[in-house]
């Protein structure tokens, strides 16, 4: 039985249909700071989010209620900025205030990543401990463990060996500096194992996906052969070279495909979950493909994403209609790979192009209340988008969390992907 650490109780609650504390005060297509920028280093509940001094946040995601959840890395905690007043994660919260939901008693050491699924469960990359943790919102059976109690922290993959075995036991996974983490629609956890230069899958249920049969309590390699290189496009993800250090984000699109910020190669790549046509490419389940970037560091927009250039992309997110967002860290920008032609955050774009939608490419901190493209960011890291097209960013170099609010929703969904098994 896996040991559990006690943390603040996390409970599932009904979804607030319009959680928009930050959005209500932000003009159309504007950027605001929602957490950080203050002087206090105390980790206390209930204070204004903007009064807090954050410690190098590397991830930020929306939960199903519109709250912003992020890993406060140097403070060794997971925190929530409440979107509206109510009871969230087992705590009464006030809109705009900051709360710790996984505290120091959990023994986290430099957590880099956090993900939230539709139930309110949390997945955390406990980077300093080389562990992936799971915090269930409700008591039940998860990842092949008979009972997990709500609000407890359970390691579901441990870096206790140096052996990387595809399909091996998850509790002996040989993790090395796990970073970006994401849930898919089935509750599986995808993690960027940055120190090993691989991307891995921890299945929630036994089934066939990515062209292979998977089982619970096991861990599978989706991309990377453990050698930092740029190779293998169009072939099995497990045989490809990817370069993930120092940080790497992962995301899952509406078709179940895994999107990877391959920062060392300055590209964004995808591993197909099933055979089909995605991003105008015929893809085979389990194979890897570049969907943005030409492999050279730079800053170039393009009507064809694979002809554009990025520099050390660090985070990726996919919204509900398939638009891929990228935090282009060295360029201090946010880029988008649109699912369909039209407007995104007020910018006219073409499907499967590459465009800058936030940041002016100058490292700094400025522009709150104004156009996202005029704002200064500093090493943006993890990011997320909600169903209304709002974007939250861990502005790592500035030690703040920022949100882009817009009257322009996400582009309409692309035509359904042609998929066959």
């Amino acid at each position: 039985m896996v040991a559990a650490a006690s943390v603040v109780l996390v409970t599932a609650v009904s979804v607030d249909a319009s959680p928009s504390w930050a959005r209500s005060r932000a003009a159309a297509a504007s950027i605001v700071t929602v957490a950080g920028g203050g002087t206090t280093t105390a980790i206390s509940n209930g204070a204004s989010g903007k009064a807090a001094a954050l410690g190098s946040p590397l991830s930020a995601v929306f939960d199903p209620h519109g709250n912003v959840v992020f890993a406060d890395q140097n403070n060794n905690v997971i925190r929530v900025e409440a979107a509206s007043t109510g009871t969230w994660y087992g705590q009464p919260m006030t809109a705009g205030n900051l709360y710790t939901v996984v505290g120091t008693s959990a023994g986290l050491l430099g957590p880099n990543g956090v993900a939230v699924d539709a139930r309110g469960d949390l997945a955390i990359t406990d980077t300093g401990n080389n562990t992936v943790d799971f915090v269930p919102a409700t008591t039940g059976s998860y990842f092949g463990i008979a009972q997990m109690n709500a609000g407890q922290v359970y390691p579901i993959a441990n870096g206790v060996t140096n052996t990387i075995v595809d399909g091996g036991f998850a509790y002996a996974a040989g993790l090395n500096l796990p970073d970006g983490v994401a849930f898919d629609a089935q509750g599986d956890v995808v993690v960027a194992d940055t120190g090993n230069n691989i991307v891995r899958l921890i299945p929630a249920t036994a089934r066939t996906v990515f062209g292979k049969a998977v089982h619970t309590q096991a861990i599978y390699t989706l991309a990377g052969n453990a050698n930092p290189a740029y190779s293998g496009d169009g072939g099995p993800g497990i045989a490809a070279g990817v370069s993930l250090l120092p940080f790497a984000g992962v995301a899952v699109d509406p078709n179940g495909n895994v999107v990877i910020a391959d920062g060392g190669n300055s590209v964004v790549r995808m591993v197909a979950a099933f055979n089909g046509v995605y991003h105008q490419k015929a893809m085979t389940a389990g194979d890897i493909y570049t969907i943005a970037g030409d492999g050279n560091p730079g800053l170039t927009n393009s009507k064809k994403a694979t002809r554009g250039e990025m520099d050390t992309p660090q985070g990726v997110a996919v919204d509900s209609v398939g638009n891929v967002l990228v935090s282009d860290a060295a360029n201090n920008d946010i880029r988008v790979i649109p699912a369909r032609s039209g407007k995104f955050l007020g910018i006219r774009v073409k499907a499967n192009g590459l465009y800058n939608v936030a940041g002016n490419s100058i490292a700094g901190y400025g522009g709150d209340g104004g156009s996202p493209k005029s704002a200064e960011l500093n090493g943006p890291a993890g990011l997320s988008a909600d169903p209304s097209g709002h974007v939250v960013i861990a502005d790592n170099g500035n030690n703040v969390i920022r949100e882009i609010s817009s009257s322009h929703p996400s582009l309409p969904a692309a035509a359904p992907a042609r998929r066959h098994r």
Side-chain angles (χ1 to χ4, degrees):
M1 181 70 178
V2 180
S6 178
V7 297
V8 178
L9 180 64
V10 181
T11 56
V13 294
S14 60
V15 176
D16 185 331
S18 56
S20 56
W21 64 269
R23 294 151 219 167
S24 64
R25 66 179 184 227
S30 65
I31 187 168
V32 295
T33 296
V34 297
T39 57
T40 178
T41 57
I43 304 172
S44 57
N45 280 359
S48 167
K50 293 186 71 173
L54 307 184
S56 191
L58 281 170
S59 63
V61 294
F62 288 112
D63 75 5
H65 321 295
N67 306 309
V68 175
V69 184
F70 63 94
D72 194 351
Q73 182 196 35
N74 290 349
N75 287 317
N76 301 307
V77 295
I78 305 300
R79 305 173 91 172
V80 169
E81 182 88 6
S84 57
T85 298
T87 298
W88 315 110
Y89 298 89
Q91 301 183 54
M93 296 186 182
T94 300
N97 289 354
L98 197 61
Y99 300 84
T100 297
V101 294
V102 180
T104 54
S105 63
L108 300 183
L109 181 60
N112 277 14
V114 63
V116 188
D117 68 11
R119 292 186 304 244
D121 305 319
L122 301 176
I124 302 163
T125 49
D126 188 358
T127 307
N129 288 317
N130 291 313
T131 298
V132 178
D133 294 329
F134 179 75
V135 184
T138 56
T139 297
S141 176
Y142 305 93
F143 297 97
I145 298 174
Q147 180 172 310
M148 291 186 180
N149 297 321
Q152 302 286 314
V153 176
Y154 295 85
I156 57 172
N158 290 356
V160 297
T161 74
N162 292 321
T163 303
I164 301 170
V165 178
D166 186 47
F169 197 42
Y171 303 139
L175 296 175
N176 186 1
L177 302 177
D179 184 20
V181 64
F183 283 105
D184 67 15
Q186 285 70 44
D188 306 320
V189 171
V190 178
V191 60
D193 188 355
T194 56
N196 286 319
N197 290 295
I198 56 178
V199 175
R200 308 176 87 171
L201 175 75
I202 307 168
T205 59
R207 65 190 194 285
T208 298
V209 67
F210 298 101
K212 63 178 74 178
V214 299
H215 305 277
T216 59
Q217 299 192 18
I219 190 167
Y220 298 85
T221 300
L222 296 180
N225 59 15
N227 296 310
Y230 183 31
S231 64
D233 259 21
I238 196 170
V242 298
S243 184
L244 303 183
L245 286 169
F247 306 107
V250 291
V252 181
D253 77 4
N255 294 299
N257 306 312
V258 170
V259 182
I260 305 164
D262 188 350
N265 292 315
S266 291
V267 295
V268 175
R269 302 173 86 176
M270 173 176 282
V271 178
F274 302 97
N275 297 344
V277 177
Y278 314 104
H279 292 271
Q280 300 178 349
K281 293 176 183 282
M283 298 189 184
T284 300
D287 287 0
I288 191 169
Y289 304 84
T290 296
I291 62 169
D294 65 3
N296 298 304
L299 177 57
T300 307
N301 290 333
S302 175
K303 293 180 181 179
K304 185 174 178 59
T306 51
R307 294 177 182 168
E309 291 181 341
M310 296 171 285
D311 193 348
T312 322
Q314 194 169 115
V316 285
V318 186
D319 68 14
S320 59
V321 298
N323 303 308
V324 177
L325 287 147
V326 185
S327 57
D328 192 357
N331 284 322
N332 303 295
D333 290 334
I334 305 299
R335 316 286 286 278
V336 68
I337 308 163
R340 175 168 287 184
S341 301
K343 282 190 174 183
F344 186 89
L345 294 176
I347 308 299
R348 188 164 293 281
V349 295
K350 294 285 188 181
N352 296 312
L354 181 64
Y355 302 90
N356 174 31
V357 292
N360 63 4
S361 305
I362 299 172
Y365 179 45
D368 267 15
S371 165
K373 287 195 67 174
S374 299
E376 291 181 349
L377 307 174
N378 190 353
L383 73 172
S384 175
D386 74 3
S388 298
H390 305 289
V391 179
V392 65
I393 306 161
D395 191 352
N396 177 257
N398 288 319
N399 290 302
V400 297
I401 306 297
R402 302 175 85 175
E403 184 175 333
I404 300 172
S405 301
S406 177
S407 60
H408 304 285
S410 294
L411 296 167
R418 301 192 300 275
R419 188 176 89 183
H420 58 278
R421 297 178 186 265

